Every structure is written in structure tokens, then in C-alpha cells.
Amino acid sequence: MKLTKIQLKKLGEIADIGAKSASKYLSTMTNKKFSVNIPWVSMYPYEKIPRTVGNPAETVTAVFMQVQGELEGVILMIFPEKSALQMAGLLQGEEVTKLDDMADSALKEAGGNILANAYLNAFADKLKLKITDSIPHITTDMLDAVMGGVLSQFAAKTQDALVFKNSFQVGKEKVEGHAFILFDPDSFELIIKKLKNAR
Amino acid sequence: MQDKVNVHMGEYKIAEAPIILQSIGLGSCVGVCLYDKSKKTGGLAHIMSANSKKKKEEVNPHRFADLAIDALIKDMKEKGCKKTFLSAKIFGGASMFPGVMTLSNIGEDNVIAVKQKLKKLNIKIVAEDTGGSKGRSIWFDTTDGSVVVSQIKGETKMM
């Protein structure tokens, strides 16, 4: 399955709307300037996706949500170890030195509910589809270990993922995070069909 | 220092002593180490998925337990290894997000698929460290077939 350049560009525009509203929410919540880069949208081999973040052994904190409804997929937020602490600190408004339950909740709230909703609202609105996200789950481990299982469930179906990646930084804090959206290959056809009518 | 060769997701590699084959960050993926003691040759496959039945198009066959192990053994035979001399050690198959229904079985399914395949091929599993909810890294020493396994904030052991 291949998407054309025009289709990928249209999808990129949708992701960009989502990213912009996500960064607006987070900027307001933390009173810091979140900057979001232009989304990377691609048909890309599953096994190579983790290399767009870092090396296999890098410790990361990941927030995972499922996309449910008319489209199936996943949203995965990846924070490098230091950034996870800083991000939790920004959200809690105090320094965080350890990822305890409080910090985990803050990251789930930010990564999960806020970011995921911003992206999904953009997709739901532009593609005229009903989609929701599941409750967020969080784990901290090696990058490849965390991403492997999430990728595996779709990697059995197609060679390339339809992947959206947004990276963001926060002001001078050097906090970085990466948001991935992956759609189930079973949803590709519906996405293409709906894209035709997208404004 | 012994040379190290990385084996990433959806790949397999074969090496002779004294090279070390390593897979870093096995989550639900399974690392299958096959060793021929007489040839001091090892093969490591880094498997992502249990079976290839769900594929809708041409997919890298080395992602799959069944196809990757077949391909690995074929290549090892070409390097002079004998199937009857091979023994296996398997690692990984964790559930990284235990609360997520759609993901929770992937690791376990991978382990089951690898075991079924090895049983069919009559290759004995001599060591195993699988399951749980933490990622693993493995270093497979082709000089003696030993494997060092480590986990983040966990123990490091030799198997």
C-alpha cells in the first residue's frame, strides 16, 4: 500500500493542525513556549521508526494510547529520560527528580489526554470520522523495547507504517518529546477515501 | 576487545568466534540465539511478530518467527553448520504495556511461535529468559555460546 505525495501532504496538514492546538494547550498550562516542528508524515518501514528518535538502549518514558472508532491506530508519546522529568516538572509546577506516580499521572494527562485529543480532533474534524482515544498507559524502558511491541502489532500486516511524527521543544528548558501516530493498515483505505473529500 | 555486531528488529545475523552478536532493547520482540558448538558459529534472529498469516502485502520475512528461523538456519547451513548440532537460547517476549489488551499478548505469542518452530525443527532450547514487563538486552558470545542478559534497573545474568 502506497500513499501519493499529495495524500501525504494533506495528512501532514491535518497533523499540523493537531500539533498546533496541542502546543497551544501545553503552552497555556505550563506558561512556557512550546515549539512544534513541521510534522513528518511518511510511509516508512516499521523496524526503522525507532531510529528517528535515538539509539536502541536510550531510556525513554512512553505514554501509549489506542485510537478507536472508525479508525484504528495508536498514539505514542516518547520523552527521553531527562525530558520526562523536566516535562513532569513543568506540568506540576515544581522540580521533579524521580518519576513517581504523581509524575506519571502528569505525563499521562499531558501526553495522553491533551496531546492525543488535539491530534485526534484534527483528524476527526478533517476526515469526518468518529474517533476516540483510550485511557493512557505509561512505561519507562529502553527505546526499542518500548516501541517494538507497539510497532509489532501492525508490522505483521504491511511493510511500511503510515506514520506521523511531531517533535516539540519547550523554550530554553531543552525539553523534547516525540509524538507518533500510527494507523492500523486495515484503516488505510478509509483514510484515503475520506481524504478525497477533506477540505 | 571482541567485535560486536548489532542485530536490529526484523534482522538476523550470523557470526563466528570471537564475534559477539547483540540485540539491544528487546521488548515484546524475541531474540533467538542458535549456536553450533563444533563450528563456534552463532546466529541471532530479532523477531517482531509471531506469524506471517496476517500480511496484506510483501513484508520483510525476517520480522516473523517462522520465516526468520528458516532463513537463519538455511544460511547457517551454508556456512557449514549442521542442524543436528544446533541448540537454542531465547530471550524477550515481554509485555511492555501490560494493561493494554491489544498489546499484552504480542510478546507471549512471539515466544510460543518461536518455541513451536524450534520444536518442529527438533532444535533444543537450552536456556530461556522470557516474559515479564521489562525490556532486555542480550550479548551472544560466539566463542562459547553464552549469552549475557540485562534489564534496566534489573539484574544482569549469564545464561
Side-chain angles (χ1 to χ4, degrees):
Chain A
M1 171 80 76
K2 288 278 173 244
L3 270 74
T4 64
K5 271 188 183 158
I6 296 166
Q7 287 166 334
L8 289 173
K9 186 168 170 274
K10 273 190 180 179
L11 287 167
E13 285 163 7
I14 300 174
D16 195 40
I17 295 169
K20 280 189 178 132
S21 55
S23 70
K24 173 78 179 72
Y25 295 151
L26 289 169
S27 298
T28 308
M29 286 170 69
T30 57
N31 204 18
K32 301 272 179 190
K33 175 95 183 101
F34 273 69
S35 47
V36 186
N37 70 353
I38 293 167
W40 176 66
V41 187
S42 180
M43 295 295 290
Y44 200 68
Y46 287 94
E47 49 270 74
K48 295 203 160 51
I49 294 174
R51 292 291 76 71
T52 68
V53 176
N55 73 61
E58 193 178 332
T59 303
V60 297
T61 294
V63 181
F64 170 89
M65 280 139 299
Q66 266 172 290
V67 178
Q68 297 159 329
E70 288 183 86
L71 290 182
E72 301 275 328
V74 297
I75 296 181
L76 190 65
M77 296 287 314
I78 305 271
F79 300 98
E81 193 172 25
K82 257 195 193 156
S83 293
L85 292 171
Q86 285 167 312
M87 184 76 197
L90 287 177
L91 293 161
Q92 286 178 237
E94 59 187 24
E95 198 188 344
V96 172
T97 52
K98 197 172 147 265
L99 283 182
D100 53 14
D101 287 350
M102 280 264 287
D104 275 2
S105 302
L107 289 175
K108 278 200 268 188
E109 179 63 25
N113 298 333
I114 294 162
L115 281 166
N117 275 319
Y119 285 112
L120 290 187
N121 284 341
F123 279 102
D125 181 47
K126 291 291 175 189
L127 298 179
K128 301 274 174 256
L129 287 167
K130 287 194 183 69
I131 38 177
T132 56
D133 52 342
S134 71
I135 53 161
H137 298 263
I138 192 164
T139 196
T140 298
D141 209 304
M142 287 174 278
L143 173 64
D144 276 28
V146 165
M147 293 197 81
V150 175
L151 300 172
S152 289
Q153 64 168 335
F154 304 140
K157 293 180 184 169
T158 52
Q159 175 62 16
D160 293 333
L162 170 55
V163 56
F164 300 80
K165 181 189 171 204
N166 254 130
S167 300
F168 56 86
Q169 294 84 33
V170 189
K172 293 171 193 151
E173 315 279 329
K174 292 216 170 120
V175 180
E176 56 162 344
H178 309 278
F180 287 93
I181 307 171
L182 294 152
F183 287 109
D184 189 320
D186 291 340
S187 295
F188 287 2
E189 274 169 41
L190 184 59
I191 293 171
I192 291 170
K193 195 176 138 202
K194 290 285 182 175
L195 259 184
K196 279 188 200 147
N197 309 321
R199 277 172 277 130
Chain B
M1 278 293 281
Q2 289 168 257
D3 280 340
K4 288 181 190 160
V5 174
N6 273 306
V7 185
H8 296 294
M9 278 179 228
E11 284 184 348
Y12 70 79
K13 299 262 174 74
I14 297 166
E16 289 171 30
I19 291 168
I20 290 173
L21 292 166
Q22 62 182 20
S23 278
I24 308 298
L26 292 166
S28 65
C29 293
V30 175
V32 182
C33 304
L34 298 183
Y35 190 60
D36 182 331
K37 201 160 65 176
S38 63
K39 293 286 289 181
K40 288 192 184 299
T41 297
L44 170 55
H46 187 151
I47 284 156
M48 301 174 79
S49 299
N51 73 62
S52 46
K53 287 188 198 108
K54 284 185 195 154
K55 67 185 162 92
K56 301 155 82 83
E57 59 181 35
E58 199 60 35
V59 174
N60 169 16
H62 305 150
R63 284 178 190 167
F64 302 103
D66 46 352
L67 303 179
I69 292 172
D70 278 339
L72 173 59
I73 291 174
K74 186 169 170 275
D75 269 16
M76 287 182 82
K77 279 184 185 163
E78 276 169 19
K79 297 207 184 303
C81 298
K82 289 211 164 60
K83 204 188 95 190
T84 45
F85 292 162
L86 293 179
S87 61
K89 295 182 181 180
I90 65 173
F91 306 91
S95 175
M96 302 304 295
F97 295 94
V100 182
M101 287 294 287
T102 47
L103 297 182
S104 57
N105 291 329
I106 290 177
E108 197 185 337
D109 288 350
N110 284 344
V111 173
I112 293 169
V114 164
K115 285 183 176 173
Q116 278 173 348
K117 184 69 192 174
L118 292 172
K119 194 176 175 192
K120 221 186 225 174
L121 294 166
N122 261 321
I123 296 171
K124 201 177 166 196
I125 298 170
V126 294
E128 170 182 0
D129 184 29
T130 59
S133 58
K134 276 183 176 174
R136 293 172 175 85
S137 292
I138 58 170
W139 292 265
F140 176 20
D141 188 343
T142 55
T143 52
D144 60 2
S146 65
V147 180
V148 172
V149 195
S150 84
Q151 292 185 316
I152 281 188
K153 289 168 193 158
E155 56 173 337
T156 298
K157 53 194 172 186
M158 172 115 65
M159 300 185 73

